[in-house]
Amino acid sequence: MMSYWQQLKPRERMLLMIGGVVFSILMLYLLMLEPLTNKVDKLSVKIEKQKTQVQYLKTMAKEVAALQKSGGGSSSSKRQGQSLLVLVDRTSKQGKLGKNVTRVEPDGSARVRVWLEGAAFDDVTKWLAGLETQYNILVESAVIDKTELVGRVNVRMVFIEGGA
């Protein structure tokens, strides 16, 4: 190896040394610095998501505190004399579920049936949670079928008034 080096012209030796330094720097970057910067970027994105979640939770905590201070009101006072059918129909058509409601009908005097098609699963669960916490309306039975679209479902539910 040494004899090969001695046979090279000074210009060729200089070129090989510069190439070796450039190669070493490139390998250092590719093997150490690039993975490190990628990890930092991923962690930055994760931190931003967590900050958003913390802000959402703080907002929800304020709402819960306000509801607890006001006593939250009873479910019957919030209903203001509305029947189960009217209340379920009105709340289902509010917000993001309005276009997905295909049918709402009474099932006797104490039950209501609801059909949703192509509804966002997250919106359905938020609506159900709101019915239970705000109006004491419970799901007696539900059939939830996934659709070809990710996150979308077809739902058939029967609602009843919660116990006292």
Side-chain angles (χ1 to χ4, degrees), residues 116-119 143-147 152-156:
L116 303 169
E117 290 187 14
V143 176
I144 302 173
D145 299 316
K146 67 179 182 178
T147 65
R152 298 288 178 164
V153 292
N154 294 330
V155 183
R156 295 179 309 277

Side-chain angles (χ1 to χ4, degrees), residues 2-16:
M2 196 62 151
S3 64
Y4 174 73
W5 183 258
Q6 295 297 331
Q7 291 175 356
L8 294 176
K9 296 178 185 172
R11 186 173 182 175
E12 292 172 339
R13 282 188 227 156
M14 181 63 86
L15 187 61
L16 280 176

